[in-house]
Amino acid sequence: MISQFFVLSQRGDNIVFRDYRGEVAKGSAEIFFRKVKFWKEDGQEEAPPVFNVDGVNYFHVKVVGLLFVATTRVNVSPSLVLELLQRIARVIKDYLGVLSEDSLRKNFVLVYEMLDEVIDFGYVQTTSTEVLKSYVFNEPIVVDAARLQPLGPAAIFMQGTKRMPGTAVTKSVVANEPGGRKREEIFVDIIEKISVTFSSSGYILTSEIDGTIQMKSYLSGNPEIRLALNEDLSIGRGGGTIYDYRSSSGSGAVILDDCNFHESVRLDSFDMDRTLSLVPPDGEFPVMNYRMTQEFKPPFRINCLIEEAGQLKAEVIIKVRAEFPSNITANTIAVQMPLPKYTTRASFELEPGAVGQRTDFKEANKKLEWGLKKIVGGSEHTLRAKLTFSQESHANLTKEAGPVSMTFTIPMYNVSRLQVKYLQIAKKSSSYNPYRWVRYVTQANSYVARI
Amino acid sequence: MAPPAQSQRSPSPSQPSGKSEVSDLKLQLRQLAGSRAPGVDDSKRELFKKVISYMTIGIDVSSLFGEMVMCSATSDIVLKKMCYLYVGNYAKVNPDLALLTINFLQRDCRDEDPMIRGLALRSLCSLRVANLVEYLVGPLGSGLKDSNSYVRMVAVMGVLKLYHISASTCIDADFPSILKHLMLHDSDTQVVANCLSALQEIWSAEASTSEEASREREALISKPVIYYLLNRIKEFSEWAQCLVLELVTKYVPSDSSEIFDIMNLLEDRLQHANGAVVLATIRVFLQLTLSMTDVHQQVYEHIKAPLLTLVSSGSPEQSYAVLSHLHLLVMRAPYVFSSDYKHFYCQYNEPSYVKRLKLEMLTAVANESNTYEIVTELCEYAANVDIPIARESIRAVGKIALQQYDVNAIVDRLLQFLEMEKDYVTAEALVLVKDLLRKYPQWSHDCIAVVGNISSKNVQEPKAKAALIWMLGEYSQDMQDAPYVLESLVENWDEEHSAEVRLHLLTAVMKCFFKRPPETQSALGAALAAGIADFHQDVHDRALFYYRILRYNVSVAERVVNPPKQAVSVFADTQSSEIKDRIFDEFNSLSVLYQKPSYMFTDKEHRVPLEFADELGNLSIGEAANNVVPTQMVEENDKDLLLTTSEKEETKGSRNNGSAYTVPYDGSSTSVFASQAQIESAVSNPTLAGHSPQASFAIDDLLGLGIPATPAVPSPPQLKLNTKAALDPSTFQQKWRQLPVALSQEISVNPQGVAALTAPQALLRHMQSHSIHCIASGGQSPNFKFFFFAQKFEESSNYLVECVINTSSAKAQVKIKADDQNTSQDFSTLFESALSKFGTS
């Protein structure tokens, strides 16, 4: 049971404020914002998503830079409230096409209308875009998506790849397109976030894939859909430790540690033929979340070397090798490495002929940054940096610097080998043939090499 | 007239109050109010929007109330909704004007369109004006009977709103019983869910004054209701499922087959993508199986994978909430998770609050097989750029060292920390090495070699400096230059800002003096002089005390300040197991995130859902619980006293020589240290006169730790019982079935006892004061039967007793069962002595 719901901009302005129970004083938004902003004096630490000030519990989630906040005085389930806040953000996005400060401000009346139906007297009534459609009467005022910060991992599909219809993911579920007709289409995105930690000798210490099959349907009449996954997919790793790498790599089977499913998914034939059937509700939702610790080939190998090069000087060499096929290209790669605290200067040397690369030494937090626009599969890139120190280092340099961390996005590639074999839409008529988009993407969650 | 274009300027709370804008709006609204011109609705929409946007940013637009109501005569649903929103917001502060809206709201409640009926009813109930409640009863009554489920859904919440405005109106109209009927018969699950929410709130609030209400509240968790809801659970929305699951948690099944039925039914809820549903299900599983140890264990195994999946999917906020629950489970049953330790490794981009949880989990799951890897990983974090986390990581390594038997490798790592030459790493490591030495004095040789190399000038943090000084004092015979280091520290007395460090310095110089007198003498003189002149009271007092005791007798001084020490076996846990259990009982709530039970952060009036659980808990503890408050309170005070003292012992280890207890000082120093017995009587008698024996055992013991004159032969540990032991009847029953009889004997009951035993309650109270609790009792003179239980202090080892007393023969037949068979004899002695005192006090 929640007492208030509000959305704050990055500067702390109320964009939407709804009081459901009148139990919490009106100034709560300001109290909250001050607390979040100045959580610890040094500003180093982030406020946790839930905290208590004078008997009022504040919950918040950050979505595209906005703060979605709920308050209550009761000892409720934190998962429920945080899940709800996230869901409200998603429903709003379904409606407005794009979720941003601008779109919220333009549509705040619609949002109020929605909030009245989502929560009544603090109790959740519904968060289904589908159900809400019949209660909400305001037409969304669609804002231009192009210049806005996108929401969610699927947004990377907007970044250029020609195969994708650029605006599709930012389409409102209710608004008609300029032509007046709605395009029949459905998106299925397989999004995998990978975490790998390499030891200083290049050995994989931990690795995990957190995947989601995300769906967004614009099909009219809600036809039933069948989604077939790899037949050799198995779930749960019986016995043994989860990190027993040798057990499965040879067989080629895809073994998930565990997974969960959206409410609408029916698993009647899942055990037999690995097929999920569902009637997709409107809007965006995760069909299935899965987790995998089975061994996989990491898409990048990182080599890093730091050694003294004379008095008050050292050299860093970072090598990144792409170990995926050459028809695949990773983009928006960023490599970071903390340098010794007493580093005063860093000069960089890229390989000859390097394009689309950027280097930087962040003086304030003593960090080396190396950005690459793209890396083609099979290629290798090297960065050399000469460091100048303000004092002599006493200890081992490798204890003073690193680890190297990396972020990247690899479209049309997934490391788990989980696949959507086919996507079947129950036919209405022989001429009914909606667009189906099945897209894969791999992103780095925590990709770290120790030195 | 065209409305002005909506301002694109983003409003901010700091802008002027907007008075002129509001009066502008007022004018425009007036002009539109009576107009029937085409397009007027669009103009109104724009104006209404503006009003609401002002409302949102906190500008007071309540003065427009009249105009807004006038403009609300419209068929445009978007306009209506905006108007309802506005009215709902300001009716409370404008009760007179709110009356104006009643008319049109009531009319809308009879509209053809169910949507309008619902909306109007919701707004009507949201006015929150007490003197308008008479207008609510009619529309609510028909709303509850409406053919449309949307209207019923709204009406049910309306009843709850009415209850909060005027409870008596709501009860008098008999709405709760209508809701009860709807809950069990409505076809729409959201109506059912709303009924459940409303009834829980209403009956919980009423229960304090009305017995009927508390019966009704109990009825919500009766078998028929629970089964009815459970059988339909998949029809409910995910949010309503959480509600139902929360209710199921309070249900007590009659037997194990029922438990398994419920668990089988809910099994697939663990695969739900909504974390709230999964956690609510887990709570049901954990609660149901509390008394079935094996199954409970299996539940842990079973929920591991879904929890880990939830942690890694979803937003960081959601995964934090789930991780906190995982943390709770890991802390309760670390061995279940010991092979999953890699999941608790920190990722570099995680926020500190997540890393902190993970570090604690890593510490907890460390065992013989994974310690090496965990410590290696933790050592990586020690070089982390995030300094607070680096510190915590080092502390984690230390904690692992303190809880392991084979600390060989870990000590090496810790010593490596000291060589890293990062000031905060050195500081943390020093504190750890000190704690380690207090537990494993055998490591002193290796540690001292490294610690000796650390220059005290490089250590600035008071805690670390104090630790270093403590080691210098304690091991001054092994550290070559200890007297000289101490001397230089004494020379810089005035620059030392921390009183804690100065106190340590005094004690360390004293210790050093006893071991190496010639080298330390001058330093000691300087330290005592500086100490006596110190402006800090404690420092001054301690210096003076040292000075006088030295003057009185140096060897007595040595026995006081530098006695041989016993290694600390277990450092006190900061959180009592009672609090931990309490948090566990409140699984899937904020208590888990805050790591404190709800009574610590919730005001009384908002504790509704929990009071429910509380009362249930009380019921199961036993009938005598309420009658013994006075004794229990006294005992709690005693325990507090003990706790604070032992905490001091933990945190300020080396200080206890001088100041952990205060010795009465009256100037005539001769009598002060006469004998241990005197001190003991001085300290324990005034506070403990007439109290239970085990409490004074504890005091004895505590004093024994620090008092120099304690005989070297340690007496065998006395059995201490937990004064606040708790055990639920089903666990008791199960244990009684499982455990063999450890002891069976006949005890005679003294005549006073026989005389006092007129009813079972008398004995219950008496035994409770000896920390032996009754779980069930019965019988009449001359035969009484009791089941008692007791728990070992700070351990969850139980003793169960069946005691049959025949007053005519003055004999008691006692059967004792114990988790720990070795101590059952001790317990029996304790029990017998407790029983023998019955009637005498």
Side-chain angles (χ1 to χ4, degrees):
Chain A
M1 176 176 68
I2 69 164
S3 201
Q4 297 167 324
F5 167 85
F6 47 90
V7 182
L8 299 186
S9 75
Q10 258 160 338
R11 285 161 300 157
D13 305 338
N14 281 357
I15 302 176
V16 179
F17 186 98
R18 186 78 175 88
D19 193 330
Y20 290 105
R21 289 186 66 107
E23 294 166 337
V24 174
K26 291 266 184 272
S28 54
E30 275 168 56
I31 296 173
F32 164 79
F33 191 70
R34 210 167 299 141
K35 196 83 188 163
V36 164
K37 199 135 195 218
F38 307 106
W39 181 251
K40 283 272 156 76
E41 276 118 58
D42 57 5
Q44 287 238 335
E45 248 170 72
E46 237 181 293
V50 186
F51 53 82
N52 182 303
V53 181
D54 296 334
V56 178
N57 302 297
Y58 294 85
F59 300 78
H60 74 280
V61 302
K62 283 191 196 128
V63 188
V64 292
L66 300 167
L67 292 158
F68 284 67
V69 191
T71 63
T72 180
R73 285 185 177 276
V74 184
N75 189 15
V76 292
S77 157
S79 284
L80 186 134
V81 180
L82 293 170
E83 198 91 43
L84 174 67
L85 289 174
Q86 203 74 44
R87 205 65 69 81
I88 292 177
R90 198 158 79 203
V91 174
I92 295 177
K93 192 213 163 198
D94 282 344
Y95 259 86
L96 307 184
V98 178
L99 179 58
S100 67
E101 183 172 344
D102 189 29
S103 72
L104 262 186
R105 284 195 192 279
K106 285 212 169 78
N107 289 286
F108 73 96
V109 178
L110 183 151
V111 175
Y112 272 124
E113 207 186 342
M114 226 162 65
L115 286 175
D116 264 347
E117 304 299 336
V118 170
I119 299 169
D120 196 359
F121 207 51
Y123 291 99
V124 192
Q125 302 296 301
T126 181
T127 49
S128 145
T129 307
E130 194 93 18
V131 175
L132 286 170
K133 259 183 177 174
S134 51
Y135 299 144
V136 173
F137 293 88
N138 274 294
E139 289 273 331
I141 303 161
V142 180
V143 299
D144 184 9
R147 59 196 173 81
L148 288 161
Q149 198 189 351
L151 166 73
I156 61 114
F157 295 115
M158 294 161 55
Q159 297 166 356
T161 4
K162 288 203 181 72
R163 279 172 282 180
M164 310 297 169
T167 57
V169 264
T170 60
K171 196 162 76 168
S172 161
V173 289
V174 282
N176 288 330
E177 278 176 56
R181 259 183 58 240
K182 268 183 82 175
R183 186 146 85 156
E184 292 285 316
E185 57 188 346
I186 180 164
F187 296 85
V188 179
D189 299 330
I190 293 91
I191 301 159
E192 293 188 346
K193 297 193 169 188
I194 57 175
S195 301
V196 180
T197 309
F198 299 97
S199 73
S200 50
S201 50
Y203 165 78
I204 297 176
L205 286 170
T206 59
S207 63
E208 178 167 310
I209 303 171
D210 300 317
T212 305
I213 302 182
Q214 188 152 299
M215 190 177 274
K216 188 158 189 182
S217 158
Y218 295 94
L219 302 176
S220 57
N222 300 91
E224 184 178 320
I225 283 174
R226 289 170 66 78
L227 207 63
L229 306 178
N230 313 33
E231 276 172 24
D232 56 2
L233 180 77
S234 63
I235 296 164
R237 312 188 61 178
T241 70
I242 287 174
Y243 285 93
D244 190 1
Y245 287 115
R246 283 149 300 174
S247 61
S248 52
S249 48
S251 66
V254 177
I255 305 168
L256 307 181
D257 288 29
D258 185 51
C259 57
N260 61 37
F261 302 95
H262 186 260
E263 278 221 299
S264 63
V265 176
R266 289 204 314 278
L267 299 168
D268 307 341
S269 62
F270 186 69
D271 283 339
M272 276 176 31
D273 57 6
R274 297 298 179 212
T275 306
L276 308 169
S277 55
L278 68 155
V279 176
D282 283 353
E284 190 178 284
F285 67 96
V287 176
M288 168 178 170
N289 296 307
Y290 56 92
R291 181 167 56 82
M292 216 171 121
T293 47
Q294 186 187 12
E295 189 185 358
F296 61 89
K297 195 174 177 190
F300 291 101
R301 284 275 171 186
I302 308 170
N303 278 314
C304 177
L305 199 70
I306 179 164
E307 46 185 26
E308 261 175 272
Q311 212 186 358
L312 298 179
K313 279 190 174 25
E315 191 179 33
V316 177
I317 303 171
I318 304 175
K319 258 192 201 133
V320 171
R321 194 166 71 245
E323 302 206 310
F324 43 86
S326 56
N327 59 342
I328 302 282
T329 304
N331 55 40
T332 53
I333 300 104
V335 180
Q336 282 199 339
M337 175 177 167
L339 298 174
K341 288 277 166 288
Y342 38 81
T343 311
T344 49
R345 226 163 57 84
S347 62
F348 298 98
E349 189 188 316
L350 289 167
E351 55 212 347
V355 283
Q357 295 192 23
R358 180 183 57 72
T359 54
D360 199 1
F361 169 58
K362 290 269 185 264
E363 180 84 49
N365 46 14
K366 307 289 181 194
K367 243 182 200 173
L368 169 163
E369 290 186 357
W370 178 24
L372 299 98
K373 275 216 176 96
K374 54 174 89 174
I375 296 182
V376 180
S379 64
E380 184 178 276
H381 298 273
T382 310
L383 173 75
R384 286 165 189 277
K386 293 203 173 357
L387 311 181
T388 312
F389 296 150
S390 61
Q391 67 176 72
E392 208 142 343
S393 83
H394 312 280
N396 189 347
L397 264 183
T398 56
K399 289 254 183 258
E400 305 280 318
V404 182
S405 62
M406 190 173 175
T407 57
F408 51 81
T409 300
I410 316 174
M412 299 322 287
Y413 181 72
N414 72 332
V415 284
S416 70
R417 288 175 292 130
L418 179 91
Q419 278 184 306
V420 173
K421 293 284 183 198
Y422 63 82
L423 170 64
Q424 201 176 58
I425 302 170
K427 270 194 187 148
K428 287 189 207 157
S429 68
S430 52
S431 62
Y432 182 69
N433 195 15
Y435 294 92
R436 293 159 224 205
W437 308 95
V438 178
R439 312 177 290 188
Y440 296 87
V441 67
T442 296
Q443 283 181 306
N445 182 19
S446 163
Y447 207 82
V448 175
R450 292 181 176 155
I451 58 171
Chain B
M1 175 203 135
Q6 203 193 339
S7 162
Q8 289 299 309
R9 190 167 56 93
S10 52
S12 90
S14 56
Q15 74 184 41
S17 67
K19 269 198 186 118
S20 64
E21 284 96 329
V22 174
S23 53
D24 234 33
L25 277 173
K26 197 176 194 136
L27 216 67
Q28 293 175 28
L29 281 168
R30 263 198 200 141
Q31 284 170 335
L32 285 180
S35 165
R36 294 197 188 285
V40 71
D41 277 350
D42 289 340
S43 322
K44 279 187 188 170
R45 273 196 193 189
E46 287 308 318
L47 277 180
F48 274 31
K49 262 192 193 174
K50 230 175 161 179
V51 172
I52 288 171
S53 91
Y54 283 163
M55 193 174 91
T56 301
I57 60 173
I59 295 176
D60 184 11
V61 284
S62 60
S63 60
L64 302 175
F65 206 96
E67 286 74 15
M68 287 294 283
V69 174
M70 279 197 286
C71 279
S72 60
T74 173
S75 55
D76 182 55
I77 195 157
V78 174
L79 267 182
K80 258 190 206 298
K81 282 189 163 189
M82 285 198 265
C83 186
Y84 292 155
L85 178 68
Y86 173 88
V87 168
N89 231 317
Y90 288 115
K92 201 173 178 182
V93 289
N94 280 317
D96 301 338
L97 286 168
L99 191 62
L100 294 175
T101 63
I102 292 281
N103 219 348
F104 81 85
L105 285 174
Q106 276 190 322
R107 197 180 53 232
D108 283 353
C109 282
R110 293 187 297 271
D111 200 279
E112 270 175 29
D113 184 350
M115 180 66 70
I116 307 262
R117 292 204 297 275
L119 284 172
L121 189 57
R122 181 185 292 155
S123 306
L124 197 59
C125 298
S126 303
L127 295 179
R128 295 184 205 161
V129 179
N131 56 8
L132 299 182
V133 288
E134 52 189 299
Y135 300 100
L136 299 187
V137 177
L140 271 179
S142 39
L144 289 171
K145 291 193 208 81
D146 203 289
S147 59
N148 185 287
S149 62
Y150 177 73
V151 182
R152 292 199 302 277
M153 201 172 96
V154 170
V156 174
M157 289 328 274
V159 169
L160 183 57
K161 290 173 194 166
L162 171 63
Y163 177 81
H164 281 271
I165 307 165
S166 165
S168 57
T169 315
C170 180
I171 303 289
D172 292 344
D174 208 22
F175 282 139
S177 62
I178 301 176
L179 294 196
K180 192 176 159 192
H181 179 83
L182 273 181
M183 181 180 79
L184 296 173
H185 298 95
D186 204 284
S187 56
D188 186 281
T189 47
Q190 194 54 45
V191 175
V192 174
N194 284 0
C195 287
L196 180 56
S197 308
L199 287 177
Q200 277 190 296
E201 252 193 68
I202 293 175
W203 278 331
S204 296
E206 288 290 302
S208 55
T209 52
S210 146
E211 272 196 29
E212 195 200 333
S214 76
R215 263 200 309 281
E216 290 286 8
R217 195 179 60 168
E218 292 301 315
L220 279 181
I221 49 170
S222 65
K223 191 165 173 170
V225 177
I226 295 287
Y227 274 52
Y228 168 77
L229 294 171
L230 273 179
N231 285 326
R232 294 180 73 181
I233 193 152
K234 278 164 207 169
E235 299 164 36
F236 285 89
S237 79
E238 51 199 308
W239 313 106
Q241 288 183 15
C242 295
L243 197 71
V244 171
L245 290 168
E246 204 179 308
L247 189 74
V248 175
T249 315
K250 295 167 189 157
Y251 173 65
V252 184
S254 55
D255 55 36
S256 55
S257 75
E258 220 187 321
I259 292 176
F260 289 121
D261 284 348
I262 295 176
M263 286 177 35
N264 284 330
L265 185 75
L266 295 178
E267 174 67 35
D268 61 351
R269 298 295 92 192
L270 290 176
Q271 288 218 312
H272 204 288
N274 185 333
V277 174
V278 178
L279 282 177
T281 311
I282 288 176
R283 182 171 182 201
V284 171
F285 281 28
L286 291 173
Q287 289 289 337
L288 285 180
T289 58
L290 260 185
S291 57
M292 312 160 82
T293 323
D294 310 349
V295 187
H296 195 65
Q297 192 86 7
Q298 283 168 24
V299 168
Y300 272 80
E301 291 286 352
H302 197 64
I303 59 185
K304 219 156 74 172
L307 278 174
L308 289 170
T309 305
L310 283 177
V311 170
S312 49
S313 58
S315 69
E317 293 91 357
Q318 286 155 292
S319 73
Y320 164 67
V322 180
L323 192 72
S324 301
H325 284 83
L326 193 60
H327 174 264
L328 175 76
L329 298 176
V330 168
M331 295 323 234
R332 276 185 86 82
Y335 46 93
V336 178
F337 298 89
S338 54
S339 61
D340 304 287
Y341 61 96
K342 286 199 179 184
H343 287 289
F344 311 140
Y345 283 2
C346 298
Q347 294 178 351
Y348 78 102
N349 51 359
E350 282 168 335
S352 314
Y353 49 79
V354 169
K355 285 183 180 161
R356 233 170 252 138
L357 286 179
K358 287 190 162 178
L359 288 176
E360 284 181 32
M361 287 151 94
L362 280 174
T363 315
V365 300
N367 62 13
E368 292 88 30
S369 60
N370 59 22
T371 294
Y372 179 78
E373 279 182 76
I374 290 179
V375 171
T376 309
E377 179 76 12
L378 287 171
C379 290
E380 289 287 341
Y381 307 153
N384 203 300
V385 278
D386 184 349
I387 292 176
I389 290 303
R391 284 172 179 274
E392 303 250 3
S393 310
I394 299 168
R395 272 176 234 156
V397 173
K399 276 190 205 146
I400 293 176
L402 288 176
Q403 75 198 16
Q404 296 281 314
Y405 297 103
D406 178 28
V407 287
N408 213 332
I410 307 179
V411 172
D412 282 350
R413 306 290 182 86
L414 277 177
L415 297 178
Q416 278 170 27
F417 284 146
L418 289 176
E419 287 159 358
M420 266 171 72
E421 297 200 27
K422 286 193 181 183
D423 46 1
Y424 59 90
V425 176
T426 311
E428 289 297 337
L430 274 175
V431 175
L432 279 180
V433 170
K434 178 209 62 179
D435 287 342
L436 213 60
L437 285 177
R438 289 176 59 204
K439 185 166 176 183
Y440 307 103
Q442 67 269 32
W443 289 106
S444 62
H445 189 73
D446 301 69
C447 297
I448 290 315
V450 180
V451 171
N453 291 333
I454 294 172
S455 162
S456 61
K457 290 189 187 64
N458 295 340
V459 182
Q460 289 309 321
E461 287 174 38
K463 266 195 173 334
K465 209 164 183 176
L468 179 64
I469 291 172
W470 180 82
M471 287 186 272
L472 285 168
E474 196 66 28
Y475 297 97
S476 38
Q477 74 281 16
D478 304 325
M479 288 161 102
Q480 199 56 55
D481 52 357
Y484 311 105
V485 177
L486 288 171
E487 188 165 9
S488 76
L489 284 164
V490 172
E491 275 165 21
N492 294 319
W493 186 276
D494 292 338
E495 282 144 48
E496 184 50 64
H497 298 292
S498 158
E500 186 192 355
V501 173
R502 298 201 298 271
L503 283 169
H504 273 279
L505 192 52
L506 272 177
T507 309
V509 175
M510 280 286 276
K511 287 184 194 162
C512 189
F513 171 71
F514 296 127
K515 288 164 188 159
R516 300 163 71 172
E519 291 160 287
T520 323
Q521 196 164 16
S522 69
L524 179 62
L528 288 176
I532 288 168
D534 203 281
F535 66 92
H536 194 276
Q537 192 64 51
D538 285 348
V539 180
H540 167 81
D541 287 358
R542 189 182 290 185
L544 203 59
F545 168 65
Y546 283 166
Y547 174 66
R548 290 189 170 143
I549 196 173
L550 280 170
R551 264 192 17 189
Y552 165 67
N553 182 332
V554 174
S555 66
V556 167
E558 178 169 11
R559 288 216 310 272
V560 171
V561 180
N562 193 32
K565 280 194 190 55
Q566 282 185 348
V568 182
S569 59
V570 181
F571 285 95
D573 202 338
T574 45
Q575 215 173 27
S576 78
S577 62
E578 191 205 352
I579 290 209
K580 287 181 192 159
D581 285 346
R582 198 76 189 232
I583 296 171
F584 180 73
D585 285 341
E586 295 169 7
F587 193 86
N588 192 24
S589 79
L590 289 166
S591 315
V592 179
L593 268 67
Y594 298 155
Q595 301 187 6
K596 28 176 139 150
S598 61
Y599 69 82
M600 290 188 182
F601 61 88
T602 324
D603 339 319
K604 184 117 198 168
E605 59 196 294
H606 295 290
R607 251 178 254 158
V608 183
L610 239 108
E611 270 169 0
F612 210 171
D614 269 0
E615 270 172 39
L616 277 176
N618 281 343
L619 277 178
S620 62
I621 284 175
E623 50 201 329
N626 292 330
N627 308 331
V628 288
V629 176
T631 4
Q632 217 170 16
M633 261 169 47
V634 173
E635 280 182 12
E636 271 170 39
N637 284 339
D638 277 355
K639 205 177 163 202
D640 282 348
L641 192 87
L642 290 180
L643 266 182
T644 46
T645 337
S646 58
E647 260 165 26
K648 245 184 223 160
E649 148 68 14
E650 186 215 346
T651 51
K652 306 215 166 124
S654 61
R655 279 186 57 179
N656 70 0
N657 298 311
S659 70
Y661 42 88
T662 43
V663 177
Y665 170 69
D666 57 5
S668 59
S669 51
T670 44
S671 66
V672 173
F673 287 95
S675 75
Q676 189 220 344
Q678 243 179 315
I679 295 174
E680 199 181 332
S681 60
V683 176
S684 61
N685 283 348
T687 43
L688 284 162
H691 278 292
S692 48
Q694 71 274 15
S696 56
F697 288 159
I699 290 275
D700 284 348
D701 223 31
L702 192 79
L703 289 173
L705 259 179
I707 287 293
T710 308
V713 195
S715 55
Q718 292 281 1
L719 178 65
K720 269 176 282 173
L721 297 179
N722 180 1
T723 53
K724 286 185 245 176
L727 198 67
D728 66 81
S730 51
T731 319
F732 184 95
Q733 266 182 352
Q734 200 208 355
K735 280 192 181 295
W736 188 259
R737 272 201 307 270
Q738 286 171 345
L739 292 168
V741 176
L743 266 170
S744 178
Q745 63 186 116
E746 196 178 82
I747 305 174
S748 354
V749 182
N750 61 32
Q752 296 97 314
V754 172
L757 190 59
T758 50
Q761 278 71 21
L763 182 62
L764 303 193
R765 253 167 274 151
H766 171 77
M767 295 306 273
Q768 183 131 14
S769 71
H770 292 267
S771 305
I772 298 168
H773 308 268
C774 180
I775 199 145
S777 64
Q780 290 175 333
S781 183
N783 281 309
F784 294 96
K785 186 168 182 176
F786 302 89
F787 283 100
F788 292 104
F789 71 93
Q791 266 165 14
K792 226 192 234 179
F793 185 60
E794 286 186 337
E795 271 177 75
S796 59
S797 174
N798 294 298
Y799 302 96
L800 313 181
V801 186
E802 184 198 78
C803 173
V804 182
I805 301 179
N806 185 306
T807 45
S808 55
S809 67
K811 291 272 188 263
Q813 304 289 338
V814 179
K815 275 186 200 147
I816 296 175
K817 300 185 176 190
D819 283 346
D820 176 6
Q821 306 277 341
N822 301 329
T823 53
S824 46
Q825 186 58 54
D826 292 354
F827 175 75
S828 161
T829 318
L830 214 70
F831 186 85
E832 202 179 340
S833 99
L835 193 60
S836 69
K837 289 191 189 123
F838 180 48
T840 55
S841 49

